[in-house]
Amino acid sequence: VMTANGQAMVAPVTLATVAVDDIVLNDVRASVAEPGKLGSALLGMSFLGALSEVTLKGEELTLRQ
């Protein structure tokens, strides 16, 4: 895949559970990147797309299941 840091090898996985505060989703598709290619973990559309609301106002992100 192409990332902000350039090209990286990734492996597709399915995460049994992803929890952010009180929001819990099961069987979330994800990718694992090779070490050192991403500076931090990213919350992707496979998680965000399953929510009823995703709102960004200034520095506040609101997620609703």
Side-chain angles (χ1 to χ4, degrees):
V1 298
M2 289 302 296
T3 72
N5 292 333
Q7 189 173 355
M9 298 293 291
V10 298
V13 297
T14 299
L15 302 175
T17 304
V18 177
V20 176
D21 199 23
D22 61 345
I23 297 173
V24 179
L25 296 179
N26 297 312
D27 300 322
V28 178
R29 290 180 300 121
S31 295
V32 177
E34 62 185 300
K37 289 296 183 173
L38 296 177
S40 61
L42 302 174
L43 195 56
M45 289 306 297
S46 58
F47 180 88
L48 296 174
L51 302 179
S52 64
E53 179 185 351
V54 178
T55 307
L56 179 62
K57 290 183 182 176
E59 293 184 15
E60 182 177 305
L61 177 65
T62 301
L63 305 175
R64 287 196 185 9
Q65 191 167 10

